[in-house]
Amino acid sequence: MASSKRMHWAWAGVFLLGLGMLIAGALNGNIWYDEGYSVALVRQDFAQIWQLTAIDVHPPLYYWMAHAVYLAVGESILAYRLLSVAGMVATALLGPVVVRRMFGERAGLAFSALVLFLPFSQHMAWQIRMYSWSMFTVSVCFLAALRLMSAAHANERAPRIAWAALGASGIASAYLHYYAAVAAFLINAGLMLCFWRCDRRKLRAWAVLAVAQLVLYLPWVRMLTAQMGEVASSFWITFEFPYTIVSVLMFPFTTDMLSCDLTVQSAALVLVCLGALLGVLRYRRRVAAQGASDDADARRADQGDAPSWFAPAEWRALCFAGAIYAGLVIIMVLASLGMGRMILFYRYLVVVLGPVALAMALALGRAWERLHRARSVRGIRALTVGTALFAVLFAGLWAGVMLRLYDATNTQSVDAVMEPVAQAEASGLQGVVVSPSPRVESVLCGQYPEETFVYLDFLRDSWWTENVWRAYGTGIDPTDSWEEALDGVEAGDTVVFV
Protein backbone atom coordinates (compact mmCIF):
# COMPACT_ATOMS: atom_id res chain seq x y z
CA MET A 1 0.00 0.00 0.00
CA ALA A 2 2.78 2.42 0.93
CA SER A 3 4.60 1.60 -2.31
CA SER A 4 1.40 2.21 -4.29
CA LYS A 5 0.93 5.60 -2.65
CA ARG A 6 4.51 6.54 -3.44
CA MET A 7 3.96 5.68 -7.10
CA HIS A 8 0.78 7.76 -7.18
CA TRP A 9 2.69 10.72 -5.77
CA ALA A 10 5.47 10.08 -8.28
CA TRP A 11 3.01 10.09 -11.19
CA ALA A 12 1.40 13.29 -9.95
CA GLY A 13 4.78 14.97 -9.43
CA VAL A 14 6.05 14.04 -12.89
CA PHE A 15 2.98 15.34 -14.71
CA LEU A 16 2.50 18.49 -12.63
CA LEU A 17 6.14 19.49 -12.90
CA GLY A 18 6.36 18.51 -16.57
CA LEU A 19 3.17 20.37 -17.47
CA GLY A 20 4.34 23.42 -15.59
CA MET A 21 7.66 23.45 -17.43
CA LEU A 22 5.96 23.04 -20.80
CA ILE A 23 3.46 25.82 -20.14
CA ALA A 24 6.29 28.09 -18.98
CA GLY A 25 7.79 27.74 -22.44
CA ALA A 26 4.44 28.13 -24.19
CA LEU A 27 3.65 31.49 -22.57
CA ASN A 28 6.30 33.35 -24.55
CA GLY A 29 5.00 35.43 -27.44
CA ASN A 30 8.10 35.33 -29.64
CA ILE A 31 7.96 33.49 -32.95
CA TRP A 32 10.60 32.48 -35.46
CA TYR A 33 10.48 32.03 -39.22
CA ASP A 34 8.78 28.62 -39.39
CA GLU A 35 6.26 29.60 -36.73
CA GLY A 36 5.46 32.79 -38.63
CA TYR A 37 4.71 30.64 -41.67
CA SER A 38 2.44 28.39 -39.58
CA VAL A 39 0.56 31.35 -38.09
CA ALA A 40 0.02 32.89 -41.52
CA LEU A 41 -0.99 29.63 -43.19
CA VAL A 42 -3.65 28.68 -40.63
CA ARG A 43 -5.52 31.91 -41.43
CA GLN A 44 -6.50 30.27 -44.73
CA ASP A 45 -9.46 27.90 -45.05
CA PHE A 46 -9.15 24.10 -45.16
CA ALA A 47 -9.13 23.87 -48.96
CA GLN A 48 -6.51 26.61 -49.32
CA ILE A 49 -4.33 24.94 -46.70
CA TRP A 50 -4.44 21.71 -48.74
CA GLN A 51 -3.45 23.58 -51.91
CA LEU A 52 -0.73 25.66 -50.28
CA THR A 53 0.90 22.78 -48.41
CA ALA A 54 0.91 20.85 -51.68
CA ILE A 55 3.52 23.31 -52.96
CA ASP A 56 5.40 23.47 -49.64
CA VAL A 57 7.48 20.73 -47.98
CA HIS A 58 5.11 19.46 -45.26
CA PRO A 59 1.72 17.67 -45.28
CA PRO A 60 -1.47 19.51 -44.21
CA LEU A 61 -2.84 17.72 -41.12
CA TYR A 62 -1.19 19.89 -38.47
CA TYR A 63 -2.24 23.07 -40.24
CA TRP A 64 -5.82 21.82 -40.33
CA MET A 65 -5.65 21.17 -36.59
CA ALA A 66 -4.28 24.67 -35.96
CA HIS A 67 -6.91 26.16 -38.29
CA ALA A 68 -9.60 24.49 -36.17
CA VAL A 69 -8.09 26.27 -33.15
CA TYR A 70 -8.11 29.50 -35.16
CA LEU A 71 -11.81 29.07 -35.90
CA ALA A 72 -12.55 28.31 -32.25
CA VAL A 73 -10.64 31.06 -30.46
CA GLY A 74 -9.32 33.39 -33.16
CA GLU A 75 -5.68 34.09 -33.83
CA SER A 76 -3.68 33.43 -30.66
CA ILE A 77 -0.01 32.56 -30.39
CA LEU A 78 -0.70 31.09 -26.95
CA ALA A 79 -3.53 28.88 -28.25
CA TYR A 80 -1.32 27.55 -31.04
CA ARG A 81 1.46 26.80 -28.55
CA LEU A 82 -0.95 25.04 -26.20
CA LEU A 83 -2.09 22.88 -29.12
CA SER A 84 1.50 21.71 -29.50
CA VAL A 85 1.88 21.23 -25.72
CA ALA A 86 -1.24 19.04 -25.83
CA GLY A 87 0.54 16.75 -28.30
CA MET A 88 3.50 16.29 -25.96
CA VAL A 89 1.23 15.73 -22.95
CA ALA A 90 -0.74 13.17 -24.95
CA THR A 91 2.53 11.35 -25.67
CA ALA A 92 3.46 11.40 -21.98
CA LEU A 93 0.01 10.03 -21.09
CA LEU A 94 0.87 6.89 -23.05
CA GLY A 95 3.04 6.08 -20.02
CA PRO A 96 0.21 5.41 -17.53
CA VAL A 97 -2.31 4.34 -20.18
CA VAL A 98 -0.26 1.95 -22.34
CA VAL A 99 3.38 1.53 -21.28
CA ARG A 100 2.48 0.78 -17.65
CA ARG A 101 0.17 -2.06 -18.72
CA MET A 102 2.69 -3.50 -21.16
CA PHE A 103 5.93 -3.16 -19.20
CA GLY A 104 5.08 -2.26 -15.62
CA GLU A 105 4.66 0.79 -13.41
CA ARG A 106 8.32 1.75 -13.24
CA ALA A 107 8.79 1.67 -17.02
CA GLY A 108 5.63 3.70 -17.56
CA LEU A 109 6.72 6.35 -15.08
CA ALA A 110 10.22 6.57 -16.57
CA PHE A 111 8.75 6.87 -20.08
CA SER A 112 6.47 9.75 -19.09
CA ALA A 113 9.29 11.50 -17.23
CA LEU A 114 11.64 11.24 -20.20
CA VAL A 115 9.00 12.49 -22.63
CA LEU A 116 8.27 15.50 -20.44
CA PHE A 117 11.79 16.36 -19.27
CA LEU A 118 14.20 15.50 -22.08
CA PRO A 119 15.66 18.82 -23.31
CA PHE A 120 14.69 18.20 -26.90
CA SER A 121 11.06 17.34 -26.14
CA GLN A 122 10.85 20.39 -23.87
CA HIS A 123 12.10 22.55 -26.73
CA MET A 124 9.86 21.05 -29.41
CA ALA A 125 6.71 20.81 -27.25
CA TRP A 126 5.64 24.45 -27.63
CA GLN A 127 6.78 25.04 -31.22
CA ILE A 128 3.93 26.16 -33.48
CA ARG A 129 4.75 23.23 -35.70
CA MET A 130 3.73 19.63 -36.19
CA TYR A 131 6.53 18.02 -34.18
CA SER A 132 4.78 17.12 -30.92
CA TRP A 133 1.76 15.56 -32.62
CA SER A 134 4.02 13.66 -35.03
CA MET A 135 5.85 12.29 -31.99
CA PHE A 136 2.51 11.23 -30.50
CA THR A 137 1.23 9.41 -33.58
CA VAL A 138 4.52 7.59 -34.17
CA SER A 139 4.60 6.56 -30.48
CA VAL A 140 1.06 5.17 -30.73
CA CYS A 141 1.98 3.33 -33.93
CA PHE A 142 5.09 1.88 -32.28
CA LEU A 143 3.28 0.72 -29.12
CA ALA A 144 0.43 -0.78 -31.15
CA ALA A 145 2.96 -2.73 -33.22
CA LEU A 146 4.65 -3.99 -30.06
CA ARG A 147 1.31 -5.20 -28.73
CA LEU A 148 0.62 -7.04 -31.98
CA MET A 149 4.11 -8.54 -31.93
CA SER A 150 3.52 -9.86 -28.41
CA ALA A 151 0.28 -11.44 -29.59
CA ALA A 152 2.09 -13.06 -32.51
CA HIS A 153 4.86 -14.46 -30.30
CA ALA A 154 2.30 -15.81 -27.82
CA ASN A 155 0.13 -17.17 -30.65
CA GLU A 156 -2.81 -15.15 -29.29
CA ARG A 157 -5.65 -13.30 -30.96
CA ALA A 158 -4.53 -9.73 -31.65
CA PRO A 159 -6.69 -7.11 -29.91
CA ARG A 160 -8.80 -5.03 -32.28
CA ILE A 161 -7.89 -1.79 -30.56
CA ALA A 162 -4.22 -2.43 -31.40
CA TRP A 163 -5.09 -2.89 -35.08
CA ALA A 164 -7.20 0.28 -35.04
CA ALA A 165 -4.48 2.27 -33.30
CA LEU A 166 -1.88 1.02 -35.77
CA GLY A 167 -3.92 2.06 -38.78
CA ALA A 168 -5.14 5.42 -37.48
CA SER A 169 -1.74 6.49 -36.15
CA GLY A 170 0.01 5.33 -39.31
CA ILE A 171 -2.08 7.42 -41.69
CA ALA A 172 -2.07 10.38 -39.27
CA SER A 173 1.74 10.21 -39.13
CA ALA A 174 1.93 10.29 -42.92
CA TYR A 175 -0.23 13.43 -43.07
CA LEU A 176 1.71 15.19 -40.29
CA HIS A 177 5.37 14.93 -41.32
CA TYR A 178 7.38 12.97 -43.88
CA TYR A 179 9.83 11.72 -41.27
CA ALA A 180 6.83 10.42 -39.34
CA ALA A 181 5.56 8.78 -42.54
CA VAL A 182 8.89 6.97 -42.98
CA ALA A 183 8.88 5.94 -39.31
CA ALA A 184 5.34 4.53 -39.66
CA PHE A 185 6.46 2.64 -42.79
CA LEU A 186 9.40 1.13 -40.89
CA ILE A 187 7.14 0.14 -38.00
CA ASN A 188 4.72 -1.58 -40.37
CA ALA A 189 7.59 -3.30 -42.18
CA GLY A 190 8.98 -4.58 -38.89
CA LEU A 191 5.56 -5.85 -37.88
CA MET A 192 5.17 -7.67 -41.21
CA LEU A 193 8.52 -9.42 -40.71
CA CYS A 194 7.44 -10.45 -37.21
CA PHE A 195 4.20 -11.92 -38.53
CA TRP A 196 6.06 -13.71 -41.32
CA ARG A 197 8.35 -15.30 -38.77
CA CYS A 198 5.95 -16.02 -35.90
CA ASP A 199 2.32 -16.05 -37.03
CA ARG A 200 1.61 -15.86 -40.76
CA ARG A 201 -2.13 -16.04 -40.15
CA LYS A 202 -2.03 -12.38 -39.15
CA LEU A 203 -0.43 -11.31 -42.44
CA ARG A 204 -3.83 -11.07 -44.14
CA ALA A 205 -5.16 -8.59 -41.57
CA TRP A 206 -1.91 -6.63 -41.76
CA ALA A 207 -2.13 -6.50 -45.58
CA VAL A 208 -5.73 -5.25 -45.49
CA LEU A 209 -4.76 -2.51 -43.06
CA ALA A 210 -1.69 -1.56 -45.10
CA VAL A 211 -3.77 -1.28 -48.28
CA ALA A 212 -6.35 0.83 -46.45
CA GLN A 213 -3.63 3.24 -45.32
CA LEU A 214 -2.21 3.46 -48.83
CA VAL A 215 -5.66 4.19 -50.28
CA LEU A 216 -6.21 6.96 -47.74
CA TYR A 217 -2.83 8.43 -48.64
CA LEU A 218 -3.36 8.33 -52.42
CA PRO A 219 -4.89 11.85 -52.57
CA TRP A 220 -1.58 13.22 -51.31
CA VAL A 221 0.77 11.10 -53.42
CA ARG A 222 0.60 13.47 -56.41
CA MET A 223 1.40 16.39 -54.10
CA LEU A 224 4.29 14.44 -52.62
CA THR A 225 5.98 13.98 -55.98
CA ALA A 226 5.77 17.72 -56.66
CA GLN A 227 7.19 18.48 -53.21
CA MET A 228 10.14 16.17 -53.84
CA GLY A 229 11.09 18.36 -56.79
CA GLU A 230 10.79 21.48 -54.63
CA VAL A 231 13.01 19.95 -51.95
CA ALA A 232 15.62 18.79 -54.46
CA SER A 233 15.91 22.29 -55.90
CA SER A 234 15.70 24.56 -52.86
CA PHE A 235 15.89 22.79 -49.48
CA TRP A 236 18.00 24.69 -46.98
CA ILE A 237 19.72 22.00 -44.86
CA THR A 238 23.50 21.64 -45.18
CA PHE A 239 26.01 19.13 -43.82
CA GLU A 240 28.37 20.53 -41.18
CA PHE A 241 31.06 18.33 -39.67
CA PRO A 242 30.97 17.34 -36.85
CA TYR A 243 27.79 19.23 -35.91
CA THR A 244 25.45 17.17 -38.10
CA ILE A 245 26.79 13.82 -36.87
CA VAL A 246 26.82 14.79 -33.19
CA SER A 247 23.34 16.31 -33.33
CA VAL A 248 21.86 13.22 -34.98
CA LEU A 249 23.44 10.92 -32.38
CA MET A 250 22.63 13.08 -29.34
CA PHE A 251 19.39 14.79 -30.40
CA PRO A 252 17.28 13.82 -27.32
CA PHE A 253 19.70 15.64 -25.01
CA THR A 254 20.28 18.90 -26.86
CA THR A 255 18.44 22.06 -27.79
CA ASP A 256 19.22 24.62 -30.48
CA MET A 257 17.95 27.46 -28.30
CA LEU A 258 21.28 28.01 -26.53
CA SER A 259 24.60 29.30 -27.78
CA CYS A 260 26.67 26.80 -25.80
CA ASP A 261 28.68 24.41 -27.92
CA LEU A 262 26.74 21.28 -28.86
CA THR A 263 29.93 19.25 -28.80
CA VAL A 264 30.56 20.18 -25.16
CA GLN A 265 27.03 19.11 -24.18
CA SER A 266 27.37 15.86 -26.06
CA ALA A 267 30.80 15.11 -24.60
CA ALA A 268 29.45 15.56 -21.07
CA LEU A 269 26.56 13.23 -21.77
CA VAL A 270 28.80 10.64 -23.41
CA LEU A 271 30.95 10.59 -20.27
CA VAL A 272 27.88 10.02 -18.09
CA CYS A 273 26.64 7.25 -20.40
CA LEU A 274 30.11 5.69 -20.44
CA GLY A 275 30.15 5.66 -16.64
CA ALA A 276 26.76 3.97 -16.59
CA LEU A 277 27.95 1.40 -19.14
CA LEU A 278 31.03 0.61 -17.09
CA GLY A 279 28.81 0.12 -14.05
CA VAL A 280 26.58 -2.27 -15.98
CA LEU A 281 29.55 -4.28 -17.25
CA ARG A 282 30.97 -4.52 -13.76
CA TYR A 283 27.65 -5.74 -12.42
CA ARG A 284 27.37 -8.37 -15.17
CA ARG A 285 30.85 -9.66 -14.41
CA ARG A 286 29.86 -9.97 -10.77
CA VAL A 287 26.73 -11.94 -11.70
CA ALA A 288 28.74 -14.18 -14.00
CA ALA A 289 31.23 -14.85 -11.23
CA GLN A 290 28.53 -15.77 -8.73
CA GLY A 291 26.53 -17.84 -11.17
CA ALA A 292 23.27 -16.97 -12.86
CA SER A 293 20.08 -17.01 -10.83
CA ASP A 294 17.20 -19.38 -11.55
CA ASP A 295 15.23 -16.47 -12.93
CA ALA A 296 17.97 -15.60 -15.40
CA ASP A 297 18.27 -19.23 -16.46
CA ALA A 298 14.56 -19.40 -17.17
CA ARG A 299 14.69 -16.29 -19.28
CA ARG A 300 17.66 -17.54 -21.27
CA ALA A 301 15.79 -20.76 -21.96
CA ASP A 302 12.70 -18.87 -23.10
CA GLN A 303 14.45 -16.27 -25.22
CA GLY A 304 17.55 -17.98 -26.53
CA ASP A 305 20.05 -15.27 -27.29
CA ALA A 306 18.25 -12.42 -25.48
CA PRO A 307 20.21 -10.91 -22.58
CA SER A 308 19.06 -12.17 -19.19
CA TRP A 309 18.53 -8.60 -18.04
CA PHE A 310 15.38 -8.17 -20.12
CA ALA A 311 12.12 -10.03 -20.51
CA PRO A 312 11.39 -11.09 -24.12
CA ALA A 313 8.88 -8.28 -24.68
CA GLU A 314 11.33 -5.73 -23.32
CA TRP A 315 14.13 -6.99 -25.52
CA ARG A 316 11.86 -6.80 -28.58
CA ALA A 317 10.97 -3.21 -27.70
CA LEU A 318 14.63 -2.24 -27.30
CA CYS A 319 15.69 -3.80 -30.59
CA PHE A 320 12.67 -2.47 -32.45
CA ALA A 321 13.21 1.09 -31.17
CA GLY A 322 16.86 0.96 -32.22
CA ALA A 323 15.92 -0.39 -35.63
CA ILE A 324 13.34 2.36 -36.22
CA TYR A 325 15.77 5.12 -35.25
CA ALA A 326 18.66 3.67 -37.26
CA GLY A 327 16.41 2.87 -40.22
CA LEU A 328 15.04 6.42 -40.32
CA VAL A 329 18.55 7.91 -40.30
CA ILE A 330 19.79 5.49 -42.98
CA ILE A 331 16.81 6.15 -45.27
CA MET A 332 17.27 9.91 -44.94
CA VAL A 333 20.99 9.61 -45.69
CA LEU A 334 20.22 7.55 -48.80
CA ALA A 335 17.47 9.99 -49.83
CA SER A 336 19.92 12.87 -49.41
CA LEU A 337 22.42 11.12 -51.68
CA GLY A 338 19.74 10.28 -54.23
CA MET A 339 18.26 13.79 -54.37
CA GLY A 340 21.60 15.55 -54.24
CA ARG A 341 20.30 17.67 -51.36
CA MET A 342 20.78 17.23 -47.60
CA ILE A 343 17.46 16.36 -45.97
CA LEU A 344 18.74 14.65 -42.80
CA PHE A 345 18.18 17.06 -39.92
CA TYR A 346 18.20 16.28 -36.22
CA ARG A 347 15.12 18.42 -35.48
CA TYR A 348 12.94 16.09 -37.54
CA LEU A 349 14.13 13.06 -35.56
CA VAL A 350 11.81 14.17 -32.76
CA VAL A 351 9.17 11.98 -34.42
CA VAL A 352 10.96 8.87 -33.08
CA LEU A 353 11.69 10.31 -29.65
CA GLY A 354 8.84 8.23 -28.20
CA PRO A 355 10.38 4.85 -29.12
CA VAL A 356 13.81 6.11 -28.03
CA ALA A 357 12.36 7.25 -24.68
CA LEU A 358 10.70 3.85 -24.20
CA ALA A 359 14.00 2.07 -24.80
CA MET A 360 15.73 4.33 -22.28
CA ALA A 361 12.91 3.82 -19.76
CA LEU A 362 13.10 0.03 -20.05
CA ALA A 363 16.87 0.05 -19.63
CA LEU A 364 16.72 2.34 -16.58
CA GLY A 365 13.87 0.39 -14.98
CA ARG A 366 15.54 -2.96 -15.46
CA ALA A 367 18.88 -1.66 -14.18
CA TRP A 368 17.23 -0.31 -11.03
CA GLU A 369 15.38 -3.60 -10.42
CA ARG A 370 18.48 -5.75 -10.93
CA LEU A 371 20.64 -3.62 -8.70
CA HIS A 372 18.05 -3.77 -5.94
CA ARG A 373 17.75 -7.54 -6.25
CA ALA A 374 21.51 -7.89 -6.06
CA ARG A 375 21.60 -5.40 -3.15
CA SER A 376 24.45 -3.64 -4.90
CA VAL A 377 24.90 -0.47 -2.88
CA ARG A 378 27.62 0.83 -5.20
CA GLY A 379 25.54 0.10 -8.28
CA ILE A 380 22.45 1.82 -6.86
CA ARG A 381 24.55 4.77 -5.81
CA ALA A 382 26.14 5.05 -9.26
CA LEU A 383 22.76 4.87 -10.99
CA THR A 384 21.30 7.46 -8.61
CA VAL A 385 24.23 9.82 -9.12
CA GLY A 386 24.01 9.39 -12.90
CA THR A 387 20.28 10.11 -12.87
CA ALA A 388 20.88 13.16 -10.67
CA LEU A 389 23.54 14.44 -13.10
CA PHE A 390 21.12 14.08 -15.97
CA ALA A 391 18.43 15.91 -13.97
CA VAL A 392 20.81 18.76 -13.15
CA LEU A 393 21.91 19.02 -16.79
CA PHE A 394 18.31 19.01 -18.03
CA ALA A 395 17.28 21.61 -15.46
CA GLY A 396 20.22 23.80 -16.45
CA LEU A 397 19.35 23.58 -20.14
CA TRP A 398 15.69 24.34 -19.40
CA ALA A 399 16.63 27.33 -17.26
CA GLY A 400 18.92 28.61 -20.01
CA VAL A 401 16.13 28.30 -22.56
CA MET A 402 13.69 30.14 -20.27
CA LEU A 403 16.16 32.97 -19.73
CA ARG A 404 16.58 33.34 -23.46
CA LEU A 405 12.84 33.13 -24.18
CA TYR A 406 11.98 35.87 -21.71
CA ASP A 407 14.99 38.10 -22.29
CA ALA A 408 13.75 41.70 -22.50
CA THR A 409 15.88 42.29 -25.60
CA ASN A 410 13.89 39.72 -27.64
CA THR A 411 11.27 42.28 -28.68
CA GLN A 412 13.60 45.20 -29.26
CA SER A 413 14.20 44.46 -32.95
CA VAL A 414 10.51 44.07 -33.76
CA ASP A 415 9.64 47.16 -31.70
CA ALA A 416 12.31 49.18 -33.49
CA VAL A 417 10.68 48.28 -36.82
CA MET A 418 7.02 48.70 -35.88
CA GLU A 419 7.10 51.73 -33.58
CA PRO A 420 7.87 54.22 -36.40
CA VAL A 421 5.08 52.61 -38.44
CA ALA A 422 2.63 52.97 -35.57
CA GLN A 423 3.64 56.61 -35.00
CA ALA A 424 3.17 57.43 -38.69
CA GLU A 425 -0.26 55.78 -38.81
CA ALA A 426 -1.29 57.58 -35.60
CA SER A 427 -0.46 60.87 -37.35
CA GLY A 428 -2.59 60.00 -40.35
CA LEU A 429 0.40 59.16 -42.53
CA GLN A 430 1.50 55.91 -44.12
CA GLY A 431 4.03 53.55 -42.57
CA VAL A 432 5.67 51.00 -44.87
CA VAL A 433 8.05 48.17 -43.98
CA VAL A 434 10.18 46.85 -46.86
CA SER A 435 12.66 43.98 -46.67
CA PRO A 436 14.37 41.40 -48.86
CA SER A 437 14.59 38.96 -45.91
CA PRO A 438 11.98 36.17 -45.76
CA ARG A 439 12.83 35.61 -42.08
CA VAL A 440 12.03 39.22 -41.21
CA GLU A 441 8.86 39.21 -43.29
CA SER A 442 7.62 35.92 -41.82
CA VAL A 443 8.07 37.01 -38.20
CA LEU A 444 6.44 40.40 -38.77
CA CYS A 445 3.56 38.94 -40.75
CA GLY A 446 2.95 36.35 -38.05
CA GLN A 447 2.85 38.93 -35.25
CA TYR A 448 1.02 41.72 -37.10
CA PRO A 449 -1.80 40.14 -39.14
CA GLU A 450 -3.45 43.50 -39.85
CA GLU A 451 -0.36 44.90 -41.65
CA THR A 452 0.98 44.34 -45.16
CA PHE A 453 4.75 44.08 -45.58
CA VAL A 454 6.53 44.81 -48.83
CA TYR A 455 8.85 42.02 -49.96
CA LEU A 456 11.75 43.05 -52.18
CA ASP A 457 11.90 40.04 -54.47
CA PHE A 458 14.59 41.53 -56.73
CA LEU A 459 17.47 41.87 -54.24
CA ARG A 460 20.26 39.37 -53.69
CA ASP A 461 19.14 38.17 -50.24
CA SER A 462 15.59 37.38 -51.37
CA TRP A 463 15.17 33.62 -51.76
CA TRP A 464 11.42 33.19 -51.38
CA THR A 465 9.43 31.75 -54.25
CA GLU A 466 5.80 32.44 -55.10
CA ASN A 467 4.95 29.00 -53.73
CA VAL A 468 5.97 30.21 -50.27
CA TRP A 469 4.76 33.80 -50.07
CA ARG A 470 1.28 32.82 -51.28
CA ALA A 471 0.75 31.24 -47.86
CA TYR A 472 0.95 34.69 -46.26
CA GLY A 473 -2.04 35.97 -48.22
CA THR A 474 -2.40 39.75 -48.17
CA GLY A 475 0.23 40.03 -45.43
CA ILE A 476 3.04 39.97 -48.02
CA ASP A 477 3.23 42.28 -51.04
CA PRO A 478 6.02 41.01 -53.35
CA THR A 479 7.61 43.60 -55.63
CA ASP A 480 10.06 43.43 -58.55
CA SER A 481 11.61 46.92 -58.30
CA TRP A 482 12.14 49.86 -55.98
CA GLU A 483 9.60 51.87 -57.98
CA GLU A 484 6.94 49.22 -57.37
CA ALA A 485 7.92 48.86 -53.70
CA LEU A 486 7.57 52.59 -53.01
CA ASP A 487 4.55 53.17 -55.21
CA GLY A 488 2.05 55.29 -53.30
CA VAL A 489 4.54 56.56 -50.75
CA GLU A 490 4.22 60.32 -50.36
CA ALA A 491 6.18 63.06 -48.59
CA GLY A 492 5.98 62.66 -44.84
CA ASP A 493 5.29 58.90 -44.97
CA THR A 494 7.59 56.56 -43.07
CA VAL A 495 9.51 53.80 -44.85
CA VAL A 496 11.39 51.28 -42.72
CA PHE A 497 13.97 49.14 -44.51
CA VAL A 498 14.98 45.96 -42.65
Side-chain angles (χ1 to χ4, degrees), residues 10-31:
W11 281 108
V14 164
F15 274 92
L16 288 175
L17 180 59
L19 185 59
M21 293 172 70
L22 293 178
I23 291 178
L27 292 176
N28 85 91
N30 307 309
I31 62 173

Side-chain angles (χ1 to χ4, degrees), residues 118-121 245-255 262 266 325 329 346-354 356:
L118 280 171
F120 199 56
S121 58
I245 297 174
V246 174
S247 61
V248 167
L249 293 175
M250 304 299 294
F251 77 96
F253 310 106
T254 58
T255 171
L262 178 66
S266 302
Y325 164 70
V329 171
Y346 76 97
R347 185 190 301 155
Y348 301 155
L349 294 175
V350 71
V351 302
V352 294
L353 189 54
V356 171

Side-chain angles (χ1 to χ4, degrees), residues 185-197:
F185 166 78
L186 291 170
I187 290 169
N188 276 274
L191 183 60
M192 181 198 69
L193 292 175
C194 176
F195 287 160
W196 180 266
R197 179 181 177 185

Side-chain angles (χ1 to χ4, degrees), residues 32 54 56 61 106 224 226 234 245 264 289 295 316 322 376 443 495:
W32 60 293
D56 184 41
L61 181 55
R106 190 175 287 110
L224 174 60
S234 61
I245 297 174
V264 174
D295 178 61
R316 279 196 300 273
S376 174
V443 170
V495 178

